[in-house]
Amino acid sequence: MTSFGPTAFQLVLLRRMADFQPDLAEEARRGLGASLADQREANKRWQAMVRSPRSRGALARYRSVLGPPESAERRTIGDLECEALLWPVPLWPDLRFEVLAAPDGAVWNEWLVRAPGARGPVLESPDDLRPWSATVDEVARAFAPVRPMEGTAPTRWRLAFAARGRPCVAEFTYGLLQRVSFEEPGAQ
């Protein structure tokens, strides 16, 4: 792998997703034509870029790695304004990598979202919550009210909710559903 571009970036996403879904991540890695060594090298290079003292910031990093965004729009979240930038991710054609950036360029959030105009999954029961089938926003809307929970790493999110009377916790990596666990009543 000579340059760090969209393919290498997808390998970085898959590296984190492999913690939950190793078989899906391996199949996707092979679909990219990449070896495990390629993936390790991509992750190593990404971490070096993130930790570099000469780093120009996260937004500049995404632009240099992914190129110009497919779209960019102003968004208001509560009383805060930001810019929402979207990039395609060929592994998931119906998704986009979204970066929410403050007016000063600071990145507030970075994750996968459904592409504008793409049909999302029908989520009515816990059985509909299959790995890689839904985004954080889609699960939150389908099973409202949800309770956001702290993730186990910066790229992870968790949502607690009830689905057909069953207490559930959905775990996400880069905004994409990885797994759902079912809690027993009264369990913490």
Side-chain angles (χ1 to χ4, degrees):
M1 213 167 261
T2 56
S3 68
F4 196 100
T7 299
F9 180 70
Q10 290 174 101
L11 290 173
V12 171
L13 299 181
L14 290 172
R15 171 64 188 92
R16 294 282 46 104
M17 291 182 190
D19 295 341
F20 292 105
Q21 296 296 330
D23 293 341
L24 286 175
E26 182 178 345
E27 182 180 334
R29 178 186 51 77
R30 286 185 187 149
L32 289 173
S35 68
L36 274 174
D38 293 334
Q39 187 171 34
R40 281 191 293 273
E41 180 62 22
N43 194 59
K44 179 180 167 185
R45 289 177 65 190
W46 178 256
Q47 293 304 321
M49 284 188 277
V50 168
R51 290 176 172 74
S52 171
R54 297 181 311 274
S55 178
R56 295 177 293 160
L59 185 54
R61 183 173 48 255
Y62 286 119
R63 287 181 185 274
S64 71
V65 167
L66 299 173
E70 177 179 82
S71 68
E73 67 178 34
R74 295 300 253 167
R75 191 176 295 168
T76 302
I77 302 171
D79 60 351
L80 300 174
E81 287 207 13
C82 65
E83 185 175 27
L85 302 105
L86 296 176
W87 284 271
V89 278
L91 275 175
W92 300 283
D94 288 346
L95 300 178
R96 297 295 180 264
F97 190 75
E98 178 185 72
V99 172
L100 299 179
D104 67 359
V107 170
W108 290 342
N109 195 34
E110 52 218 300
W111 61 3
L112 294 164
V113 297
R114 189 70 49 194
R119 173 183 270 151
V122 175
L123 302 175
E124 296 175 342
S125 78
D127 295 334
D128 298 327
L129 297 169
R130 293 178 310 283
W132 295 14
S133 67
T135 65
V136 171
D137 287 346
E138 291 166 337
V139 172
R141 279 193 306 272
F143 297 101
V146 299
R147 181 173 46 92
M149 301 170 65
E150 189 172 332
T152 57
T155 59
R156 295 183 181 161
W157 292 263
R158 295 187 312 155
L159 294 177
F161 57 94
R164 296 207 171 155
R166 291 180 74 182
C168 304
V169 174
E171 297 185 70
F172 304 83
T173 300
Y174 285 107
L176 190 59
L177 180 65
Q178 299 299 309
R179 69 180 176 197
V180 177
S181 56
F182 303 100
E183 296 180 358
E184 294 301 317
Q188 293 290 351

